[in-house]
Amino acid sequence: MKQIVNPGILAGSLILAWVTLGMGGPAAQAPDKMSGPRSTTTFKVDVDLVLVEVGVHDDHGHAVGDLTQQDFRVFEDGKEQQILAFSHEELPLAVALVVDNSSSIMAALRELRLGALDTLSLLKPEDQVAIFSFGEKPELVEALTSDHQALSEDLWALSPYGGTAIDDALYDASLYLGREARERRRAVILVSDNEPSEEQQRTAPEVVRAAQQSGTPVYSVKVGYLEHSRTFFLSHPEPRLHDVEKICRQTGGELIDTRSGVSVSQAMATILQWLKQGYTLGYSPANRRRDGTFRSIEVRLNERDHARARKYAIYARQGYYAPNGQ
């Protein structure tokens, strides 16, 4: 019998014996009573599985929802792995809405609130949302809930202040979802001008690792005004300017910049559609060593069977950390 693996060790987790796609923790761990209905896609396996959430978009940015297991190939550290589990079910969502509550966002706060509220109407009754806000430090404003009235009141109660602790908030939200939403398709959605404070407890690489450990993609809806951003660019070092974009890419998410003419509501609706049309792949790694090292993951489409593959963009986390021990 395999030993139980700590769900904080791997992004998307290594799950034992019975594996329900969408789960992020060991099968032996009891689910939260408030976590909603289980997925019905269950596989019986005798090996550890690495689960990878995958989004596929066409050249117009629309989700591609007609692929099968045979259309995918998965590589770990450059070596192809056998896909043992596959699901394209619309799993219940667990979304951590991470809302910028800093003074720099004040001019865009009304649009931010309205966009977030519009998003609630797109959710199904079994979907859940948690709200994190951040200024100088992150705060869990509302735990995962399907109570739209409570979420609405929380959003309208936000009052901007202080700095912009983006990395700290993303770090907390990623670990929170990995801990509290093991049976759901998880995502962090950041709504911010993406202009971080210099003084933070966490760094972008730490955020990426936390998101990979919890199997949680990070999406960004960038708001604000170009003139304000130009001032930020002149006063911050170049590496910091693209931190959020890098976090999104490395965790399997994506950034949508509303300053290009897309509304916050449209951006949020697009992200939810991507999530609902996602795929879950499971494989048993050929490398069985439990040495705590980083293992890269690459998901490709099988071009031999899919002529359109070159027109599609694939979004998946770029790796995970192996567990330590025997």
Side-chain angles (χ1 to χ4, degrees), residues 50-73:
V50 175
L51 298 184
V52 187
E53 297 288 342
V54 180
V56 183
H57 307 163
D58 64 20
D59 50 3
H60 298 291
H62 301 141
V64 177
D66 60 351
L67 302 179
T68 67
Q69 179 175 333
Q70 288 68 39
D71 291 315
F72 291 94
R73 301 173 69 188

Side-chain angles (χ1 to χ4, degrees), residues 56 67-75 80 298-314:
V56 183
L67 302 179
T68 67
Q69 179 175 333
Q70 288 68 39
D71 291 315
F72 291 94
R73 301 173 69 188
V74 178
F75 297 79
E80 187 162 9
E298 182 184 4
V299 179
R300 304 177 191 170
L301 290 181
N302 190 340
E303 295 189 25
R304 293 173 301 176
D305 301 327
H306 217 287
R308 296 174 293 171
R310 295 180 183 178
K311 296 182 179 180
Y312 292 168
I314 298 177

Side-chain angles (χ1 to χ4, degrees), residues 31-324:
D32 189 323
K33 293 182 180 179
M34 299 300 293
S35 61
R38 292 177 178 268
S39 165
T40 57
T41 303
T42 305
F43 295 86
K44 186 176 181 181
V45 295
D46 297 320
V47 294
D48 297 344
L49 285 184
V50 175
L51 298 184
V52 187
E53 297 288 342
V54 180
V56 183
H57 307 163
D58 64 20
D59 50 3
H60 298 291
H62 301 141
V64 177
D66 60 351
L67 302 179
T68 67
Q69 179 175 333
Q70 288 68 39
D71 291 315
F72 291 94
R73 301 173 69 188
V74 178
F75 297 79
E76 180 176 298
D77 289 340
K79 298 180 180 179
E80 187 162 9
Q81 311 291 311
Q82 181 182 3
I83 298 174
L84 300 176
F86 175 87
S87 174
H88 185 43
E89 289 190 1
E90 190 172 313
L91 301 174
L93 298 179
V95 174
L97 188 60
V98 180
V99 182
D100 192 333
N101 198 34
S102 66
S103 55
S104 68
I105 204 69
M106 188 173 296
L109 184 59
R110 178 176 174 79
E111 182 188 7
L112 183 157
R113 286 169 170 160
L114 291 175
L117 289 172
D118 286 345
T119 302
L120 298 180
S121 65
L122 303 176
L123 298 173
K124 293 188 174 182
E126 62 268 25
D127 295 333
Q128 294 185 337
V129 176
I131 296 178
F132 284 77
S133 71
F134 64 91
E136 295 178 353
K137 61 181 180 179
E139 177 186 1
L140 175 58
V141 176
E142 185 74 52
L144 282 170
T145 181
S146 299
D147 186 343
H148 292 184
Q149 181 62 36
L151 294 166
S152 299
E153 292 174 359
D154 292 329
L155 288 168
W156 281 106
L158 295 177
S159 180
Y161 70 96
T164 314
I166 292 177
D167 293 341
D168 295 345
L170 293 179
Y171 181 90
D172 287 358
S174 297
L175 292 186
Y176 172 80
L177 287 184
R179 185 174 64 247
E180 301 295 331
R182 296 181 299 273
E183 297 185 27
R184 295 171 174 269
R185 179 162 286 151
R186 300 174 294 279
V188 170
I189 303 179
L190 170 68
V191 187
S192 170
D193 58 12
N194 294 358
E195 301 178 2
S197 300
E198 290 301 316
E199 298 297 327
Q200 298 190 69
Q201 296 295 315
R202 302 296 177 179
T203 64
E206 288 178 301
V207 174
V208 170
R209 179 160 185 164
Q212 290 175 338
Q213 285 175 324
S214 63
T216 304
V218 176
Y219 294 86
S220 169
V221 177
K222 187 172 184 178
V223 299
Y225 298 96
L226 291 173
E227 185 61 41
H228 183 267
S229 293
R230 279 193 285 269
T231 302
F232 174 84
F233 292 163
L234 293 174
S235 61
H236 286 69
E238 178 66 24
R240 296 301 306 279
L241 304 184
H242 306 291
D243 276 358
V244 172
E245 184 177 359
K246 292 177 182 177
I247 290 169
C248 292
R249 183 174 64 251
Q250 293 178 29
T251 61
E254 192 171 353
L255 181 148
I256 300 178
D257 193 339
T258 64
R259 300 173 306 165
S260 62
V262 178
S263 71
V264 173
S265 296
Q266 291 171 325
M268 298 284 278
T270 296
I271 292 173
L272 288 180
Q273 185 62 29
W274 288 341
L275 291 172
K276 292 177 180 180
Q277 289 292 317
Y279 301 85
T280 305
L281 310 180
Y283 71 92
S284 177
N287 183 352
R288 311 295 292 174
R289 292 193 298 272
R290 295 173 175 263
D291 53 11
T293 59
F294 180 78
R295 313 281 174 79
S296 67
I297 294 175
E298 182 184 4
V299 179
R300 304 177 191 170
L301 290 181
N302 190 340
E303 295 189 25
R304 293 173 301 176
D305 301 327
H306 217 287
R308 296 174 293 171
R310 295 180 183 178
K311 296 182 179 180
Y312 292 168
I314 298 177
Y315 296 85
R317 58 190 173 95
Q318 295 183 355
Y320 70 97
Y321 288 87
N324 285 302

